[in-house]
Amino acid sequence: MKSPLLVAALLAVVPVNEGWSWGQEGHSIVAEIAQRRLSDTAAREVDRLLGSELTLPKGARFSLSSIASWADDYRSDMGPKGHIETYNWHFVDIPYDRDAYNAVRDCSADPVKGDCVINALARLVPELSDCSKKDTERAMALKFVVHFLGDLHQPLHATTRINPDTAADDLGANLIQVTFFGQPSNLHKVWDSDLILHKVYDWGEYVRLLETTWLPGKDIAALQAGDTVSWGEDAHRVAQIVAYEFPPDHALGQEYYDAAIPMVDQQLALGGLRLARVLNEAFQPGKICPER
Ligand SMILES: [Zn+2]
């Protein structure tokens, strides 16, 4: 059963996790665009793996959008301290003034908070098709991968900048206070959710708009090419040329929105297309693991 509106209604009662990830809408948009491009084999395996954690009838269907924000809840909500060891897995801090990813500089492992989204995906994607793993372990990897492919495409999850006013790291623009059409916000949150919700307050409708205006006529294979490093560097470039181009008074309005929203559309669509590629490659006909 695939009903974006129903899922949106269900998600609306979940507390919003501010400032650290595409909002739930962005993740749901990426996941739904991917879901529509899964091969039959991949779609069956997604249903089977996600079903392995639940006592639902065999053959139950799942929407990737419904589990797309699970990794944020896992990080912050479970247990007394949450799963802080996954904290840094949601982003890669390529410095604003550099163009290329450097693994030593940008993805070294913090003993408490983990390394970065590039290394997290390098570990998790192979787990999807690792038949030595239990189904529940592979289901967990799937939930992480769906989320992290989204995060990797959020420009401010691929960039951080030393604030020229304070000489301090702005934490992916979380520390840059702005107003967005008069409402207090921060620059990171503007990209996580404010821009998306300003365009249309309904992620299912956002998907429909991308499917009817952005995606038609595109060379899908070309857009799916590359790897997690090049995808992160592409997102980083969007941060350099658009996200950080805010006015000196930090008041973001129509002019900023008009420059930013084509990039938001692009990054959400690319995230969905590339997630579809990753899942279709992981779950190929003839290479599906036996149930365990
Ligand atoms: Zn995240």
Side-chain angles (χ1 to χ4, degrees):
M1 191 175 72
K2 186 156 58 186
S3 169
L5 286 174
L6 174 63
V7 175
L10 290 171
L11 287 175
V13 301
V14 176
V16 174
N17 189 334
E18 282 192 349
W20 303 105
S21 197
W22 283 123
Q24 289 168 348
E25 297 79 13
H27 282 291
S28 290
I29 291 163
V30 168
E32 177 63 19
I33 286 172
Q35 175 114 34
R36 295 177 182 195
R37 289 161 178 82
L38 292 183
S39 68
D40 290 345
T41 305
R44 268 198 305 277
E45 189 64 355
V46 163
D47 285 339
R48 198 183 66 73
L49 286 178
L50 295 179
S52 70
E53 296 186 313
L54 301 166
T55 50
L56 291 174
K58 257 193 179 340
R61 303 295 313 277
F62 293 88
S63 72
L64 290 178
S65 55
S66 66
I67 53 90
S69 292
W70 168 86
D72 282 334
D73 297 336
Y74 183 78
R75 175 168 72 170
S76 60
D77 292 345
M78 291 173 65
K81 288 186 182 165
H83 284 268
I84 196 168
E85 74 280 6
T86 67
Y87 194 89
N88 288 349
W89 297 3
H90 293 249
F91 53 86
V92 54
D93 278 343
I94 304 173
Y96 169 82
D97 59 359
R98 303 297 169 90
D99 292 332
Y101 168 71
N102 177 308
V104 173
R105 183 192 60 209
D106 306 333
C107 202
S108 57
D110 179 286
V112 176
K113 293 183 169 181
D115 41 23
C116 81
V117 67
I118 301 284
N119 281 2
L121 284 167
R123 288 187 298 270
L124 290 160
V125 170
E127 283 189 26
L128 297 175
S129 49
D130 180 349
C131 297
S132 74
K133 300 274 182 200
K134 290 197 183 80
D135 287 347
T136 48
E137 293 173 294
R138 294 170 58 225
M140 193 164 172
L142 174 61
K143 291 190 290 187
F144 275 127
V145 167
V146 169
H147 184 86
F148 293 153
L149 253 294
D151 277 345
L152 182 62
H153 285 78
Q154 207 281 44
L156 294 175
H157 279 243
T159 314
T160 200
R161 190 175 74 155
I162 303 301
N163 186 327
D165 300 330
T166 62
D169 186 333
D170 73 12
L171 304 182
N174 270 289
L175 299 184
I176 298 181
Q177 303 303 316
V178 299
T179 59
F180 184 71
F181 290 95
Q183 298 295 315
S185 190
N186 70 65
L187 189 62
H188 188 99
K189 180 170 171 286
V190 165
W191 280 77
D192 272 349
S193 50
D194 293 346
L195 285 159
I196 293 173
L197 295 174
H198 189 78
K199 174 165 171 162
V200 50
Y201 210 97
D202 172 347
W203 68 262
E205 174 64 6
Y206 206 117
V207 170
R208 193 191 67 76
L209 291 171
L210 292 178
E211 292 282 9
T212 54
T213 62
W214 198 93
L215 285 154
K218 293 287 196 301
D219 181 346
I220 300 300
L223 297 177
Q224 289 175 318
D227 56 27
T228 53
V229 170
S230 68
W231 300 339
E233 288 176 344
D234 290 348
H236 174 73
R237 181 111 191 95
V238 173
Q240 288 177 315
I241 61 177
V242 181
Y244 275 100
E245 289 298 307
F246 54 88
D249 63 1
H250 293 212
L252 312 184
Q254 194 65 41
E255 192 178 339
Y256 187 87
Y257 173 85
D258 288 343
I261 202 68
M263 295 293 107
V264 174
D265 289 352
Q266 168 189 290
Q267 292 305 108
L268 291 169
L270 290 176
L273 293 176
R274 291 162 178 174
L275 174 59
R277 178 189 139 196
V278 167
L279 297 182
N280 286 333
E281 287 179 356
F283 304 130
Q284 291 182 40
K287 292 189 182 172
I288 294 299
C289 299
E291 202 166 324
R292 57 188 296 266

